[in-house]
Amino acid sequence: MSPSDDRLHAVLSGYQAPAALRQALAAANRPEIRAGQIWRARVEGTSVTVLIVTDFNAGAGEVVVATPGEAPPADSAIEHRRVATDAFRTLTLWSTVRGTLHHRALDVMIENSATSTGLAQELRSSPRVVTLDEDPFDPGAELLAELRDDLALLQAAPAVPVRTADPVRLAMMLPGTARQQLEQLIEHLGVSQNEAMELHRGRRTVTAEQARALETAIGLELGSLPSSGGIDPDLALEIEHPRWRDAARRRAARTGQAEVTARTSLAAEAYALAARESTKVPDWQQRIALLVAGEP
Amino acid sequence: MTIAAELAELGHLGGPATMAMVTTRWRSATKQFYVLEPAGGWNDENRLDLLHEFLCERLEPLTDALIAVGDDEVALLKLTSRIMKNWLTDQARKTDTGAIRLRLEELLNADPSFLRLPGHTQRWALTGTTGAEFSRHDDESLFAAAMAVPNVKPVRWRDGSRRAPMASGPDLTRVLTAVLGCAGSAGLEIGMLSRVFQRRFAVTVTSHVPLDSDDTLADRLAAPFATDPAQAAEASTRAAEVYAQLSDRERRILLHLDDRPRVEEILNVGRSVAYTHIARVRMTLAALAGEDLDVEAVAAELLRLAESDAAPDDMQDATSGRSATINTEGAQRP
């Protein structure tokens, strides 16, 4: 090492991250999601710390982006709050980067303390900040926009395909005019005009294969069209819980699949396992745990 | 060992993989900030000195943030670059503020219509204000007063190694008069004045992408666009002045102000960042509306300049017509 490298090494090693933060990350806790917890949320290429503002209901709840490393410059007018928590020496809460997030994007809980619970409580009781006329020249405007884009990426995390009991009117979900939608159905699914009209009006539901073909052809996110062949909604909710992310990620790495595909295949196998048993209402958490225990 | 594994094990940024990543990212981050470039250019030594300055201020939040990211290498690199870029932007703005302050003090000292308030070495007011006038001191009112001054023209600037001046001396004096007039007899601190001017001339002072030396700009001015040759010549000159003040990124999106997805693609950014850039350019163009000239002709000329500069990729799906893209308020037309 050159003397300048030595000097840089000494500086970079001169600060140790808080033990509470390191321990929380090493413990990799993924409990039920409650207001007041701080989580790492991530999709491929993007990782963001969020404070859970409301309890999660049906897999989703409100979060606010909280950054440990970034804050607006001192002369910025952007609404924010700098706080210290048990795990972070400083954390910036961006009140205007707040939105609904599905638990499929959450990864690891970092903190669940009286401090973080109090912060969530304060955010819930304070009115939502709606800034209609933001100054694009504010010194923090670009950072704020980048954080909003990060939150949008998390919100768009790919979902496993969910089976729907009720046929959905594809007219409500496809782009274009009614005529264009019908043409798309005929072209991409190879169905007759009559069948296309039934799907279009919601008298029939597309199969899983048809849904995937249509999503790919039109450029919709995979899993966004409800189909008759998707995953049971309760199982989908369970398999997307953060507690199964490691298992899905390991499978994805082993098989070269995307994480969502690995989640879908885990769910399909858990479903097949349950189908061989007599229990009327399967305990999906237990079924998946059994399956995952046998994974390499 | 991966950077994430190293961070998790060590709890600091001093491991070999992390150290290599930090120095590589720092090298690319500093490249863009020409206003911070030392005389004689960047070298390993001065780049490292600035890195130490950065670490002196941001080591703790940078370490916590990177450790919190986990084992996603792309996210780690993205976050490191962002934290570095934001710190460098702050430094660039500090040099901007310093430069603005010096220039304003120069103008205030040189003109007897400005008065340094007795007992307040940093506070200035308009000579002859009595205290009876209605005055406002809040940021928005002062900024509005600065924006309301018509015909403040950016100075055409070709020197890529130094920042462009905000405007000509007489134009700056008119803005100073308007802002201090708004503040009334209590006057304003020089720091506050600098902040108002930094905001008023934001495009000029915060653009950190170097402007190319644009000696060919005059040659590329087309035949007069408007029917009145005098008006057309003025529009062309004005457009060239404004164009010279735009950063490379802003020039590239000028043709696509009504096409946000295209701006996302060109700048490789997300929706919100694209909106922010579009809004900045629109506001810059909107400032033209206060001037006594044919703004339509200036806008059309600006677009022509952007078209002649655009990379072939930028032209793909470009606007359907020059004048359809921007109007006199700098906003898009329906």
Side-chain angles (χ1 to χ4, degrees):
Chain A
M1 253 195 217
S2 68
S4 60
D5 282 348
D6 276 341
R7 193 172 141 232
L8 182 60
H9 171 74
V11 171
L12 288 171
S13 316
Y15 169 75
Q16 191 93 11
L21 172 61
R22 298 179 62 201
Q23 282 159 9
L25 293 169
N29 286 322
R30 292 167 168 116
E32 290 309 323
I33 300 132
R34 299 269 177 264
Q37 297 167 341
I38 295 173
W39 282 71
R40 171 170 74 211
R42 65 184 269 201
V43 289
E44 208 181 325
T46 301
S47 176
V48 179
T49 313
V50 294
L51 170 68
I52 311 291
V53 179
T54 63
D55 284 338
F56 271 39
N57 184 18
E62 211 173 315
V63 303
V64 68
V65 166
T67 50
E70 295 155 297
D75 53 347
S76 165
I78 289 169
E79 179 82 22
H80 72 286
R81 196 168 155 202
R82 290 186 88 160
V83 296
T85 72
D86 295 7
F88 294 102
R89 292 161 65 104
T90 57
L91 195 64
T92 303
L93 301 177
W94 299 75
S95 329
T96 60
V97 192
R98 179 170 165 173
T100 302
L101 194 64
H102 196 275
H103 69 203
R104 69 175 71 96
L106 296 178
D107 187 15
V108 171
M109 187 184 78
I110 299 177
E111 181 172 340
N112 184 18
S113 64
T115 313
S116 59
T117 309
L119 289 169
Q121 166 67 37
E122 285 170 33
L123 279 169
R124 273 198 308 279
S125 54
S126 62
R128 286 285 294 266
V129 182
V130 181
T131 316
L132 294 174
D133 194 19
E134 286 178 346
D135 177 8
F137 290 113
D138 185 287
E142 195 163 339
L143 174 57
L144 179 74
E146 284 173 352
L147 295 174
R148 284 196 177 132
D149 284 338
D150 280 353
L151 180 61
L153 284 172
L154 295 171
Q155 288 170 323
V160 298
V162 178
R163 185 175 67 214
T164 174
D166 305 313
V168 173
R169 290 185 64 206
L170 287 181
M172 307 289 286
M173 312 205 57
L174 298 179
T177 62
R179 187 188 173 83
Q180 288 166 335
Q181 290 173 339
L182 277 173
E183 284 169 358
Q184 284 170 358
L185 291 172
I186 293 166
E187 185 191 338
H188 302 311
L189 302 183
V191 294
S192 67
Q193 186 174 346
N194 192 35
E195 284 173 287
M197 286 179 81
E198 289 198 331
L199 292 168
H200 189 251
R201 289 175 184 164
R203 290 191 187 142
R204 278 178 49 196
T205 303
V206 284
T207 64
E209 292 73 29
Q210 285 176 323
R212 294 306 82 79
L214 210 48
E215 286 157 359
T216 310
I218 302 174
L220 294 173
E221 202 174 286
L222 285 181
S224 58
L225 290 179
S227 69
S228 60
I231 296 165
D232 173 273
D234 291 335
L235 173 54
L237 194 62
E238 179 57 35
I239 197 67
E240 289 187 327
H241 193 281
R243 65 179 144 253
W244 306 117
R245 270 199 101 162
D246 268 353
R249 232 181 268 146
R250 279 198 302 273
R251 178 178 277 218
R254 207 171 56 240
T255 57
Q257 295 169 315
E259 190 181 334
V260 66
T261 316
R263 269 177 170 166
T264 308
S265 67
L266 272 173
E269 286 168 35
Y271 189 80
L273 198 69
R276 289 200 292 271
E277 295 170 8
S278 58
T279 322
K280 281 188 176 169
V281 185
D283 178 343
W284 291 123
Q285 187 176 341
Q286 192 191 42
R287 299 285 164 223
I288 298 168
L290 276 174
L291 182 68
V292 167
E295 292 262 300
Chain B
M1 191 185 268
T2 64
I3 299 167
E6 198 176 84
L7 285 170
E9 188 182 305
L10 301 172
H12 62 68
L13 306 184
T18 314
M19 205 167 121
M21 184 272 284
V22 167
T23 43
T24 312
R25 290 278 128 184
W26 185 252
R27 179 178 285 272
S28 16
T30 47
K31 254 185 210 165
Q32 299 178 1
F33 287 84
Y34 83 106
V35 295
L36 298 176
E37 194 172 312
W42 289 113
N43 57 39
D44 286 349
E45 201 180 334
N46 57 35
R47 197 176 266 122
L48 193 63
D49 285 345
L50 195 61
L51 175 57
H52 280 284
E53 239 178 88
F54 163 71
L55 292 172
C56 188
E57 287 184 25
R58 297 285 163 93
L59 178 64
E60 296 181 10
L62 177 71
T63 307
D64 292 356
L66 294 189
I67 283 179
V69 164
D71 62 353
D72 186 326
E73 202 96 339
V74 177
L76 267 170
L77 300 181
K78 183 169 127 181
L79 186 60
T80 307
S81 295
R82 188 152 83 193
I83 292 175
M84 288 174 170
K85 183 192 78 179
N86 288 328
W87 185 83
L88 288 165
T89 305
D90 285 352
Q91 306 314 302
R93 288 179 57 248
K94 279 180 198 166
T95 65
D96 284 336
T97 311
I100 291 169
R101 183 182 169 136
L102 286 175
R103 178 71 176 129
L104 294 184
E105 280 179 334
E106 197 178 285
L107 293 166
L108 289 162
N109 279 315
D111 194 322
S113 50
F114 303 118
L115 166 76
R116 197 191 292 265
L117 288 177
H120 301 273
T121 52
Q122 305 291 322
R123 208 171 179 88
W124 292 83
L126 281 181
T127 310
T129 44
T130 60
E133 300 90 350
F134 178 72
S135 62
R136 300 286 299 269
H137 291 84
D138 61 287
D139 285 5
E140 288 310 315
S141 304
L142 296 169
F143 176 62
M147 288 301 288
V149 179
N151 290 320
V152 176
K153 299 175 181 178
V155 177
R156 186 171 169 198
W157 195 244
R158 290 179 179 176
D159 186 346
S161 64
R162 288 193 299 141
R163 75 170 57 74
M166 288 179 283
S168 68
D171 280 355
L172 290 175
T173 302
R174 288 194 297 122
V175 180
L176 270 173
T177 307
V179 174
L180 288 174
C182 174
S185 59
L188 284 176
E189 295 283 343
I190 186 71
M192 182 64 176
L193 269 173
S194 304
R195 282 202 298 280
V196 172
F197 272 70
Q198 182 163 34
R199 196 172 160 201
R200 166 63 181 83
F201 296 97
V203 168
T204 307
V205 296
T206 60
S207 295
H208 56 259
V209 180
L211 298 173
D212 296 325
S213 295
D214 207 354
D215 288 339
T216 62
L217 198 58
D219 303 335
R220 288 189 284 114
L221 292 177
F225 184 82
T227 44
D228 175 353
Q231 211 175 43
E234 190 191 3
S236 292
T237 310
R238 189 73 188 88
E241 287 166 353
V242 173
Y243 194 69
Q245 296 288 311
L246 297 176
S247 71
D248 286 354
R249 292 177 112 189
E250 288 156 353
R251 289 176 183 185
R252 292 186 71 196
I253 66 172
L254 200 53
L255 289 171
H256 307 281
L257 295 183
D258 56 353
D259 187 358
R260 195 250 315 138
R262 188 82 187 107
V263 172
E264 284 179 37
E265 207 176 301
I266 291 173
L267 301 181
N268 190 24
V269 295
R271 172 191 291 251
S272 297
V273 176
Y275 270 131
T276 304
H277 284 293
I278 290 171
R280 285 180 183 172
V281 176
R282 282 195 182 142
M283 280 178 73
T284 307
L285 298 175
L288 287 170
E291 298 183 14
D292 180 24
L293 46 70
D294 182 351
V295 180
E296 284 280 355
V298 175
E301 183 57 23
L302 265 175
L303 291 173
R304 200 190 59 74
L305 289 169
E307 277 172 5
S308 66
D309 260 359
D313 280 356
D314 292 357
M315 287 299 294
Q316 193 188 355
D317 306 325
T319 54
S320 51
R322 296 169 175 176
S323 58
T325 309
I326 49 176
N327 63 17
T328 50
E329 278 82 46
Q332 70 191 99
R333 282 184 171 155

